[in-house]
Amino acid sequence: MYDVIIIGAGVSGCAIARELSRFQLKILVLEKELDVCEGTSKANSGIVHAGYDAGPGTLKARLNVEGSRKMETLSKELDFPYQRNGSLVLCFDPKEKDKLWELKERGEANGVEGICILDRQKLLELEPNVGDAAVAALYAPTGAIVCPFGLTIALAENAAENGVEFVFGAKVQGLEKAQEGYLVHTPKQDYETKVVVNAAGVYADEIHNMVSGIKMKIIPRRGEYLLYDKNVGSMVSHTLFQLPTALGKGILVTPTVHGNLLTGPTAQDVPGKEETDTSREGMERITERAALSVKEVPGRQVITSFAGLRAHITEFSEGEAGDFVIGEAADAAGFIDVAGIESPGLSCAPATGEYVAGLVKKLLEPLEKENFIGTRKGIPSMALASDEERHRLIKENPAYGNVVCRCETVTEGEILDAIRRPLGARTTDGVKRRTRAGMGRCQAGFCNPRVVEILARELQVEESQIRKSGEDAWYILSPEEGGSL
Amino acid sequence: MKTADLVIVGGGPAGMAAALAAYHKGVKDILILERDRELGGILNQCIHNGFGLHRFQEELTGPEYAVRYMDLVQEKNISHMLNTMVVDVQGGEFCLITAMNKEQGMFQIKANAIILAMGCRERSRGAMNIPGYRPAGIYSAGTAQRYVNIEGRMPGKEVVILGSGDIGLIMARRMTLQGAKVRLVAEIMPYSGGLKRNIVQCLDDFGIPLKLSHTVTEIHGKDRVEGVTVSRVDERLSPVPGTEQFVKCDTLLLSCGLIPENELSLGAGALMDEVTQGPVVNERLETTVPGIFACGNVLHVHDLVDNVSKEAETAGAFAAEYILHGEKEWGEAVRPKIPAKTKCTLPEDRDTGSQLICIGCPVGCLITAQRKEDGSLAISGNTCGKGEAYARSEMTAPVRTITSMIRVEGGTGRVVPVKTKSEIPKGKIAECMREIKKAVVKAPVSVGDVLIENVAGTSVSVVATGNMRVF
Ligand SMILES: Cc1cc2nc3c(=O)[nH]c(=O)nc-3n(C[C@H](O)[C@H](O)[C@H](O)COP(=O)(O)OP(=O)(O)OC[C@H]3O[C@@H](n4cnc5c(N)ncnc54)[C@H](O)[C@@H]3O)c2cc1C
Ligand SMILES: Cc1cc2nc3c(=O)[nH]c(=O)nc-3n(C[C@H](O)[C@H](O)[C@H](O)COP(=O)(O)OP(=O)(O)OC[C@H]3O[C@@H](n4cnc5c(N)ncnc54)[C@H](O)[C@@H]3O)c2cc1C
């Protein structure tokens, strides 16, 4: 019998797991994919929003401002990439300047610090490459960027270190009210638990509807992106948002924490919950709209495109429309929803974790652990390390001297570390998100066979068993299929 | 700190030829740094033939061409370090090279001059903006080539290839010979950039359709590729709505261009040429950074390795002169002469059974050859006698050289490249491949070793085209 089962190992589920791991509780995270961070948490803008978007008084606003305040400290405790680069909301029409003032007031009401309005002159000082049409901007110095995988994996690893169990490939297919708590069905096994936390992202409605009569419906809203080579990463230094115009919601242009340039997202409702494909129209739209924010969109420097799904709730009678749905379901005791976690769910995560842990605490009244480990060390990066550190690492393990990914200078040592640590990588995408091997301009053309070989060696399986991400994402044929000479 | 007169980054054909040329000019203290486990560069995975016609007046496979240079490098005792990645180079009066490997860790070398010979890389899917999902099963042709020819592994069963340059064509044949079904080769341009010979011997021989003015407009399948949408494009290369066609496959190979690999050159501060995508050089192949020279595919993409070797010799000789006699006035920028791309256009509804493309010379006449009732051949469309002879042999007794690889036990690698020592009847290809696939040999293996005698009863033997040491 578990005390808490968390469904979904996205940033929300992992943040909750980490917060709950401070207490003497038996906790399990069930994730349908083969790794953490395989849902929306892997495909978003990676922005830590300052907190001026959500309406004052909403849970979204509160968790955003709190999360944003906590993120920097958390990034030091758990060692993930974070950078406070500040964000700008660009205004392209002098008549719409008052909208900037509205945003400023809202931000101040939410408790966001340091916001101000800049005229074009000041704006140019901050961003020399800003588009000619930008007349003014809102400046939020507390806006920041974060590595979404880095954050999620760090939270999960730290939770695991503090005793939280994770089971992958475990899709929750049914939930039953039991004598005490719930019985959770997965294909391989059933689990008993006192409390269930539903952090299933775009599937949170399905999980919710398994136990509650108050029906919820989520229609995913897809957002597509274009990612550009590092050699244009410094084109802008702040995150450039756009005020919504008659043409629709704006497109952002931002550097990433790893020094690439990112533009997007689009917004389009899609019927399927796995429809993370990109489209020609999406790419064209991004390029066209991004051209407002910067003088020249470096179209030839695109290295990949991707898309993520916002968990947009379209039907649910409880709660405030447009706000997160976080709390015990009205008709299902011990079942806590963490649903409708659209943007800025990433920014909120540290606060969401604490908030939900508070709800669980009320239900189970657990004691605090004495031996909670509050910090975690990430995988060293040979690309970023000082010469001294590099020498030390290679001395420790010569594999740190063997470069496997040429574009991002990732070594075998880092890949071994990614595989061997708690909740280690089992797939090439897992290796990629932990080390950046394959994230660079050649998009794994060079390192793919090498990473597959290392994974197979470490996991002691035939190379044909290595997957990109999902069970069917094979790379090479098995010897039985004629795949080996 | 280690020192050397001349450090060469990259041990492909360019690096090796440059080293040898510098050696002959009197610079003996040379060090080649190579990140792979062998010298030879991309040639090691280009196991097909078609190399060396200019340089050696004979037709070699890629590995054979490489081995010739490796032997010379060894003979002259030119030092090299393998499995060593150069991560930074700096020019000037003293050049500084930073490199990494497992044995020495991170280390620096001081040199009088550097020659950049890092080759090139392939354009990726992202760079081509192909929309759709991002499943496993999308490979650049070179990655697939490495899987098949170096690792001895098959990356898929049903294949679509985008891009009909030589690499795409060569991989179509390679995958087919290893048992995959190549559904089609799509080419966005109205002509193929590949050699006529490759269209004949890599596509026509196996009945693989070439769709000119077509491109892949969507990738399907969330985990693994399940198919692609292929569409016709208009004169502006934009997809024409309504021409979409779904093609089922589990693998998409991209052969859409090569890009010189110039991260190090940029890091050194070399001025780049937007046209060649390589560094700007003068007539001595010296970049704008003093002491740093460049040659081979890092300077501009070459179609023929023979030209790479020649260019590299120029760079090697001038680098030696620089080391021995000091810096000269830089002079003028000279853009390397890039031979015009071949543009092979073909009628769309060509009957490959009777309409032959002559491969006797680059003109590539389209010859129609039909058997008359009396059994004799009616040949038309050729513009010279060569065409007639070619058509006659193609229609009566066509022959081919087969290149593939054979499994090795106890070696440093899994497979060794091989070829039929001479041409065999085209009709014997399948049987020949069956014997090659069944064969297993023991390391060591040297170039020229006979590995199968009298293959498929043709009295031709299958010989090794590469070396393999004992593990
Ligand atoms: C286009 C876009 C841009 C965004 N930009 C930002 C931004 O810049 N800043 C920001 O703060 N936020 C942003 N967000 C929002 C942020 O990404 C999300 O709020 C956050 O990632 C949600 O995390 P999650 O853990 O709730 O959901 P997810 O990450 O989707 O995790 C849910 C997990 O549950 C698993 N699961 C689902 N069903 C089951 C089941 N039956 N059994 C077991 N496991 C299951 C899934 O596999 C998944 O791993 C953006 C979102 C999108 C789509
Ligand atoms: C698939 C294919 C088919 C071809 N077919 C033919 C043909 O039929 N006939 C023909 O004549 N030509 C052919 N070519 C062209 C010819 O092979 C190339 O032009 C030639 O190999 C280029 O030589 P290079 O030395 O410049 O580059 P490469 O052969 O690519 O060598 C570059 C070397 O540098 C190393 N390197 C790169 N960066 C670093 C670093 N930072 N540190 C250390 N080492 C590094 C690489 O590992 C590599 O070994 C073909 C090419 C390809 C790709």
Side-chain angles (χ1 to χ4, degrees):
Chain A
M1 168 74 105
Y2 286 94
D3 292 311
V4 186
I5 284 184
I6 299 166
I7 305 171
V11 74
S12 305
C14 294
I16 295 163
R18 195 250 175 181
E19 275 310 312
L20 283 175
S21 73
R22 296 175 186 273
F23 301 96
Q24 298 178 21
L25 291 170
K26 195 168 153 59
I27 306 164
L28 172 67
V29 178
L30 294 175
E31 168 56 53
K32 70 177 167 67
E33 302 298 327
L34 301 179
D35 198 354
V36 301
C37 204
E38 282 282 3
T40 300
S41 300
K42 78 171 173 191
N44 50 62
S45 314
I47 310 297
V48 183
H49 291 274
Y52 46 75
D53 279 317
T58 59
L59 190 55
K60 233 182 211 176
R62 171 182 153 193
L63 296 180
N64 187 170
V65 175
E66 263 178 51
S68 153
R69 277 194 202 129
K70 286 180 199 292
M71 196 66 86
E72 185 161 19
T73 318
L74 192 66
S75 74
K76 293 200 177 105
E77 287 169 356
L78 300 185
D79 195 18
F80 58 83
Y82 164 92
Q83 191 198 333
R84 182 160 285 191
N85 66 326
S87 47
L88 293 161
V89 183
L90 305 181
C91 168
F92 301 104
D93 183 349
K95 286 192 293 249
E96 291 197 327
K97 270 193 195 163
D98 47 339
K99 287 203 181 140
L100 293 180
W101 288 99
E102 265 170 49
L103 274 184
K104 181 169 183 283
E105 271 162 37
R106 203 191 305 161
E108 278 161 357
N110 288 346
V112 184
E113 291 132 27
I115 337 178
C116 57
I117 309 263
L118 308 178
D119 59 18
R120 180 163 170 88
Q121 197 49 44
K122 285 256 168 54
L123 177 58
L124 272 173
E125 280 166 26
L126 286 186
E127 284 298 345
N129 287 323
V130 76
D132 293 336
V135 290
L138 176 87
Y139 176 46
T142 57
I145 45 183
V146 67
C147 171
F149 338 118
L151 166 62
T152 308
I153 291 166
L155 288 166
E157 281 184 6
N158 189 235
E161 252 215 299
N162 285 303
V164 174
E165 297 167 46
F166 285 77
V167 178
F168 297 103
K171 179 176 179 167
V172 173
Q173 292 171 315
L175 272 178
E176 243 176 278
K177 191 88 196 77
Q179 249 174 349
E180 191 192 357
Y182 292 87
L183 190 63
V184 184
H185 300 290
T186 73
K188 283 206 196 98
Q189 211 182 322
D190 293 345
Y191 302 90
E192 278 181 279
T193 181
K194 292 178 192 154
V195 172
V196 172
V197 175
N198 168 22
V202 286
Y203 291 93
D205 56 345
E206 291 177 15
I207 302 287
H208 170 93
N209 295 342
M210 288 175 188
V211 297
S212 171
I214 310 161
K215 295 302 171 200
M216 181 189 286
K217 188 171 173 61
I218 291 176
I219 295 185
R221 185 165 288 173
R222 182 170 65 196
E224 300 178 34
Y225 291 92
L226 293 173
L227 184 78
Y228 304 76
D229 197 294
K230 279 183 175 171
N231 60 26
V232 290
S234 55
M235 207 169 117
V236 296
S237 54
H238 301 78
T239 300
L240 307 186
F241 295 97
Q242 302 175 339
L243 266 184
T245 67
L247 284 169
K249 216 171 155 252
I251 290 287
L252 68 80
V253 178
T254 184
T256 70
V257 263
H258 298 288
N260 295 85
L261 186 76
L262 181 71
T263 60
T266 54
Q268 185 196 3
D269 288 348
V270 290
K273 297 194 172 185
E274 297 292 330
E275 289 189 26
T276 53
D277 53 327
T278 55
S279 65
R280 185 163 301 277
E281 303 78 58
M283 292 176 179
E284 280 165 6
R285 192 182 149 70
I286 294 169
T287 310
E288 183 192 315
R289 296 278 295 161
L292 271 178
S293 295
V294 284
K295 285 207 182 81
E296 218 172 307
V297 185
R300 285 182 57 178
Q301 300 294 334
V302 171
I303 60 175
T304 188
S305 60
F306 61 88
L309 302 175
R310 303 172 184 87
H312 186 62
I313 297 182
T314 53
E315 276 172 49
F316 190 57
S317 55
E318 302 277 302
E320 196 78 30
D323 203 357
F324 294 157
V325 175
I326 304 183
E328 201 172 10
D331 58 349
F335 178 88
I336 299 174
D337 276 315
V338 184
I341 311 300
E342 294 189 67
S343 194
L346 202 65
S347 320
C348 296
T352 309
E354 261 190 52
Y355 183 80
V356 176
L359 300 178
V360 174
K361 245 161 67 184
K362 270 196 210 132
L363 293 174
L364 299 176
E365 297 177 349
L367 294 175
E368 262 184 64
K369 273 183 200 160
E370 273 167 22
N371 53 353
F372 174 73
I373 304 159
T375 58
R376 165 254 186 203
K377 198 87 201 89
I379 300 169
S381 158
M382 283 298 275
L384 303 176
S386 66
D387 283 357
E388 235 166 77
E389 228 170 284
R390 286 173 173 160
H391 287 302
R392 185 182 59 75
L393 284 165
I394 297 172
K395 221 165 150 196
E396 227 168 70
N397 181 357
Y400 283 104
N402 179 23
V403 178
V404 173
C405 164
R406 62 176 170 192
C407 303
E408 299 285 315
T409 323
V410 181
T411 65
E412 187 184 347
E414 292 157 79
I415 294 171
L416 293 176
D417 192 351
I419 300 170
R420 290 175 185 169
R421 52 179 45 225
L423 301 182
R426 294 290 173 270
T427 58
T428 59
D429 272 2
V431 167
K432 173 169 98 173
R433 285 200 284 273
R434 283 169 180 79
T435 65
R436 294 189 60 74
M439 286 260 189
R441 55 180 66 105
C442 92
Q443 289 287 297
F446 179 77
C447 66
N448 174 266
R450 293 159 172 91
V451 172
V452 167
E453 188 188 319
I454 296 171
L455 269 167
R457 191 185 346 122
E458 278 295 300
L459 304 177
Q460 297 185 344
V461 296
E462 219 287 313
E463 282 174 30
S464 54
Q465 299 307 306
I466 299 303
R467 299 287 177 263
K468 179 174 187 284
S469 52
E471 295 284 2
D472 296 323
W474 54 277
Y475 281 114
I476 49 178
L477 299 180
S478 67
E480 298 77 53
E481 291 169 298
S484 189
L485 291 170
Chain B
M1 194 186 296
K2 274 194 208 353
T3 62
D5 281 342
L6 174 61
V7 166
I8 295 175
V9 187
M16 291 193 286
L20 286 162
Y23 184 92
H24 289 304
K25 287 276 174 191
V27 173
K28 311 280 164 175
D29 181 13
I30 304 172
L31 176 61
I32 304 175
L33 300 174
E34 168 56 51
R35 67 179 173 204
D36 216 329
R37 49 190 183 224
E38 302 281 355
L39 292 177
I42 199 77
L43 292 177
N44 290 328
Q45 62 182 63
C46 297
I47 64 167
H48 57 282
N49 54 0
F51 299 79
L53 277 171
H54 300 271
R55 173 106 327 202
F56 298 109
Q57 280 76 49
E58 60 180 303
E59 187 163 30
L60 302 173
T61 67
E64 286 173 313
Y65 189 99
V67 165
R68 296 215 172 176
Y69 277 88
M70 289 186 219
D71 288 348
L72 289 172
V73 166
Q74 191 158 21
E75 192 187 303
K76 302 285 181 254
N77 253 324
I78 296 175
S79 22
H80 61 270
M81 290 168 87
L82 300 175
N83 299 307
T84 302
M85 177 77 93
V86 175
V87 291
D88 187 60
V89 297
Q90 295 299 325
E93 195 184 341
F94 290 107
C95 299
L96 202 59
I97 299 97
T98 311
M100 273 161 86
N101 66 25
K102 272 190 172 178
E103 288 71 38
Q104 280 101 336
M106 215 174 85
F107 59 96
Q108 290 193 313
I109 306 166
K110 208 164 92 176
N112 293 321
I114 298 175
I115 298 178
L116 303 176
M118 289 91 72
C120 57
R121 65 187 151 84
E122 299 170 279
R123 278 179 77 204
S124 72
R125 176 254 176 113
M128 281 175 279
N129 285 335
I130 308 174
Y133 287 98
R134 295 160 298 285
I138 307 166
Y139 298 97
S140 65
T143 307
Q145 193 179 42
R146 186 177 173 97
Y147 263 127
V148 181
N149 292 347
I150 306 267
E151 315 281 342
R153 300 303 304 251
M154 279 297 276
K157 285 185 264 201
E158 289 181 276
V159 187
V160 166
I161 298 178
L162 179 60
S164 69
D166 288 317
I167 306 176
L169 301 176
I170 295 280
M171 280 313 290
R173 175 174 64 187
R174 200 66 209 102
M175 294 294 286
T176 308
L177 287 177
Q178 287 306 135
K181 172 81 195 152
V182 177
R183 298 246 165 254
L184 59 87
V185 176
E187 167 61 59
I188 194 165
M189 303 305 286
Y191 50 83
S192 161
L195 296 172
K196 295 223 161 88
R197 183 173 93 157
N198 285 335
I199 293 183
V200 173
Q201 299 194 349
C202 299
L203 301 188
D204 292 358
D205 277 4
F206 305 97
I208 299 168
L210 170 61
K211 304 275 257 177
L212 297 174
S213 295
H214 278 75
T215 191
V216 170
T217 47
E218 197 175 342
I219 296 170
H220 307 271
K222 179 126 179 162
D223 271 3
R224 176 77 194 194
V225 174
E226 289 166 13
V228 296
T229 302
V230 174
S231 306
R232 175 180 285 283
V233 298
D234 60 22
E235 309 76 60
R236 293 180 7 261
L237 307 184
S238 306
V240 180
T243 62
E244 299 86 1
Q245 186 196 346
F246 177 80
V247 184
K248 188 170 156 286
C249 62
D250 60 25
T251 306
L252 173 65
L253 297 192
L254 305 172
S255 170
C256 302
L258 302 168
I259 306 167
E261 188 152 319
N262 273 299
E263 280 74 12
L264 294 177
S265 329
L266 281 167
L271 212 61
M272 303 299 288
D273 182 332
E274 285 208 7
V275 174
T276 60
Q277 299 197 59
V280 171
V281 290
N282 62 16
E283 60 175 0
R284 300 188 298 277
L285 300 182
E286 190 178 7
T287 68
T288 53
V289 183
I292 303 189
F293 297 76
C295 58
N297 277 353
V298 78
L299 189 55
H300 66 95
V301 176
H302 295 65
D303 283 333
L304 277 184
V305 69
D306 308 67
N307 299 337
V308 170
S309 302
K310 199 163 146 216
E311 183 180 89
E313 282 162 5
T314 309
F318 281 115
E321 199 182 293
Y322 172 92
I323 292 166
L324 299 172
H325 309 296
E327 199 174 343
K328 278 198 200 153
E329 183 80 33
W330 195 80
E332 264 175 58
V334 178
R335 182 172 290 159
K337 273 197 208 67
I338 304 172
K341 281 265 163 232
T342 49
K343 287 187 185 178
C344 183
T345 39
L346 296 166
E348 200 167 323
D349 48 1
R350 183 169 61 99
D351 168 15
T352 52
S354 64
Q355 290 182 293
L356 311 171
I357 310 163
C358 180
I359 59 175
C361 78
V363 176
C365 298
L366 188 68
I367 306 177
T368 309
Q370 242 138 10
R371 207 163 276 285
K372 290 195 287 204
E373 262 167 38
D374 63 356
S376 66
L377 278 174
I379 295 170
S380 61
N382 55 310
T383 48
C384 76
K386 263 198 218 161
E388 162 130 22
Y390 171 74
R392 214 162 273 289
S393 101
E394 276 296 285
M395 293 301 286
T396 50
V399 288
R400 298 287 184 267
T401 297
I402 296 303
T403 58
S404 187
M405 65 282 169
I406 283 182
R407 205 166 100 212
V408 184
E409 276 175 356
T412 46
R414 283 186 240 203
V415 288
V416 69
V418 298
K419 69 175 182 189
T420 53
K421 190 143 195 224
S422 56
E423 291 167 320
I424 60 164
K426 192 172 141 187
K428 291 278 188 182
I429 293 179
E431 203 181 329
C432 170
M433 276 308 296
R434 270 197 295 281
E435 288 187 26
I436 287 179
K437 280 192 208 165
K438 265 202 300 227
V440 183
V441 298
K442 282 211 161 46
V445 180
S446 305
V447 172
D449 286 0
V450 173
L451 301 183
I452 303 175
E453 278 181 75
N454 185 22
V455 71
T458 57
S459 79
V460 173
S461 52
V462 173
V463 297
T465 55
N467 297 329
M468 174 75 68
R469 292 187 304 273
V470 177
F471 181 65

